[in-house]
Amino acid sequence: MGINLNPFTWWNGASWGTMLYGLRGMAQTGTDALGNVYYEGGQDGSGRKRRWVIYDGANDASRVPPEWFSWLHHQIDDVPDRAMPPARAWQKPGVPNMTGTPLAYRPSGSLEKGGQRAAATGDYEAWTPEG
């Protein structure tokens, strides 16, 4: 089914038109740990080089690591491998947006966790219109 939808959909990944025509004249500048590929070439309206990302899988902007986000938005000039300092020992790798998946955050008391909240403590007094 994926091969039939590829020419017509953009949300499943880069379409054939993007790969054949949109990236013509662009130079591949790097890849990230998630398999996304980054390109640079051409100029935008302000004279800066255009920068692109082709996602490895579904098009989800939360899958772009922070260092490559900085490169895409011209916050750093060179690719992150050369422009950014090495990662610190305490830094964790980024995770994609899990909203809408079974791994999404669900606090205690939410309907997905059974809907049972802890009872209110004695320091709470409900508002009434007469009072």
Side-chain angles (χ1 to χ4, degrees):
M1 183 165 178
I3 197 161
N4 293 334
L5 287 177
N6 188 275
F8 309 109
T9 62
W10 57 265
W11 53 87
N12 294 326
S15 67
W16 292 344
T18 301
M19 297 303 289
L20 292 176
Y21 304 112
L23 296 177
R24 191 174 348 149
M26 303 286 180
Q28 181 178 340
T29 56
T31 59
D32 63 20
L34 298 173
N36 301 327
V37 183
Y38 299 89
Y39 294 89
E40 184 174 41
Q43 289 186 346
D44 63 8
S46 63
R48 296 185 304 183
K49 285 191 174 182
R50 289 187 185 268
R51 295 178 174 176
W52 298 66
V53 59
I54 300 297
Y55 298 100
D56 182 30
N59 291 339
D60 182 7
S62 70
R63 297 184 65 234
V64 174
E67 59 273 8
W68 280 103
F69 177 90
S70 298
W71 179 82
L72 281 171
H73 294 271
H74 298 278
Q75 295 172 347
I76 58 175
D77 293 328
D78 207 357
V79 293
D81 297 339
R82 293 188 295 260
M84 303 289 286
R88 311 258 174 140
W90 47 265
Q91 287 179 305
K92 293 183 179 180
V95 294
N97 186 350
M98 295 295 166
T99 302
T101 70
L103 299 175
Y105 173 70
R106 291 178 175 88
S108 60
S110 68
L111 293 177
E112 291 83 5
K113 289 266 187 161
Q116 299 297 320
R117 288 185 18 196
T121 60
D123 63 345
Y124 175 78
E125 184 178 328
W127 177 83
T128 58
E130 298 84 32

